[in-house]
Amino acid sequence: MINIGDIEKFSIVDWPSKISVVVFLQGCPWRCPFCYNQSLQDFKTQGNASWDNLLHLLEHRKGVIDAVVFSGGEPLMQQNLAQAMDIVKEMGFEVGLHTGGYDPQALEKVIFKVSWVGFDIKAPFDAAKYKTATGGFGDVEKIKQSIKILLQSGVHFECRTTCDPRILEINDIYQIADTLADFGVTEYYIQKYRPIPSDTTTQESDCDKFFKDEKLIAYLQSKFQIFETRK
Ligand code: SF4
């Protein structure tokens, strides 16, 4: 059905306000320098959990869990994602999606099956900057198209950016915010980067600079109906 890298059996943070099971799907076309899920990147790796494992878990979690969040990796790369979502919905669970918007056509196929989307904005909408933040993907038009699909769908979604000081400057966050606000996005979060194990040089103060910049925070608060920091 789908290649599941791993399953988080209980989460209250992956879909804010919902208690969810999180399904980490195996395979991602991107190579973000701040990736904490590198074991999920390779498409050929057989994941640690099976579709049957997930169904079995969900059968026993009815009444306890509200939702299933399809995360990654990049869920939109899974050929049978729509079918998997249908089955989960038939079991009585709401469906959430984490994506970077890599494939707008794939997003279109599933958007009306989901009740919430967490959408990762990696960098300002500039090919070179997106390439740096994703390890090579610079087709920002696809990202814009995905955001338009979200807005037109009416499905509740948030945009969020991991503030990795190795690849983003304060000014980049201003640029991201301006573009999103111009699109009509109303909910935005900035997330603190926690150095991955191979990053031995980034200091806590480097990671904190986005969150201590009062001018930036005030600007973001003025741009969005909902803006929060996640540290
Ligand atoms: S999109 Fe997510 S899973 Fe893929 S490389 Fe980036 S952080 Fe890792």
Side-chain angles (χ1 to χ4, degrees):
M1 171 66 76
I2 47 177
N3 190 357
I4 300 175
D6 218 337
I7 297 172
E8 171 63 57
K9 293 177 181 165
F10 185 92
S11 171
I12 55 170
V13 294
D14 285 275
W15 180 347
S17 83
K18 300 281 182 191
I19 301 171
S20 60
V21 165
V22 187
V23 185
F24 296 99
L25 297 168
Q26 185 71 40
C28 183
W30 290 349
R31 295 293 179 268
C32 309
F34 49 83
C35 183
Y36 250 96
N37 293 330
Q38 289 177 11
S39 62
L40 292 172
Q41 289 175 348
D42 181 23
F43 284 99
K44 291 187 189 132
T45 301
Q46 192 52 47
N48 292 325
S50 69
W51 176 246
D52 284 346
N53 292 152
L54 176 64
L55 294 184
H56 183 75
L57 173 69
L58 293 179
E59 279 298 341
H60 289 83
R61 291 294 166 97
K62 283 182 179 171
V64 181
I65 295 290
D66 304 315
V68 176
V69 176
F70 289 89
S71 186
E74 173 48 76
L76 295 180
M77 298 299 289
Q78 301 280 330
Q79 288 208 329
N80 293 326
L81 181 63
Q83 200 183 340
M85 286 177 167
D86 283 339
I87 292 169
V88 162
K89 281 174 68 123
E90 278 164 22
M91 294 176 80
F93 299 98
E94 287 190 85
V95 169
L97 172 69
H98 291 172
T99 181
Y102 173 80
D103 183 344
Q105 286 179 332
L107 179 61
E108 244 170 349
K109 282 186 194 156
V110 299
I111 190 61
F112 291 111
K113 300 179 189 299
V114 308
S115 303
W116 176 83
V117 178
F119 193 92
D120 293 321
I121 306 291
K122 307 286 185 185
F125 295 78
D126 166 274
K129 287 185 175 170
Y130 237 88
K131 274 186 183 171
T132 302
T134 61
F137 180 86
D139 191 350
V140 290
E141 290 309 313
K142 282 194 172 170
I143 310 298
K144 290 180 180 174
Q145 216 177 320
S146 290
I147 293 172
K148 283 179 188 162
I149 289 166
L150 287 172
L151 285 163
Q152 283 163 5
S153 73
V155 170
H156 181 197
F157 74 100
E158 67 171 40
C159 290
R160 66 274 184 102
T161 300
T162 298
C163 298
D164 182 340
R166 299 170 303 166
I167 56 175
L168 292 176
E169 295 294 336
I170 300 264
N171 197 41
D172 291 325
I173 306 299
Y174 280 104
Q175 285 181 37
I176 292 171
D178 286 346
T179 309
L180 292 179
D182 286 349
F183 271 128
V185 171
T186 57
E187 195 170 335
Y188 184 54
Y189 301 82
I190 55 171
Q191 306 178 152
K192 185 171 173 179
Y193 163 69
R194 299 191 187 284
I196 57 171
S198 60
D199 176 8
T200 54
T201 53
T202 302
Q203 302 296 311
E204 189 78 10
S205 57
D206 301 324
C207 304
D208 275 340
K209 70 178 178 189
F210 301 89
F211 304 87
K212 289 190 168 163
D213 189 314
E214 291 178 10
K215 197 172 148 209
L216 173 67
I217 299 298
Y219 188 77
L220 295 173
Q221 284 168 338
S222 75
K223 279 279 174 184
F224 300 99
Q225 283 174 24
I226 300 173
F227 165 75
E228 282 176 26
T229 58
R230 291 177 178 154
K231 289 186 268 181

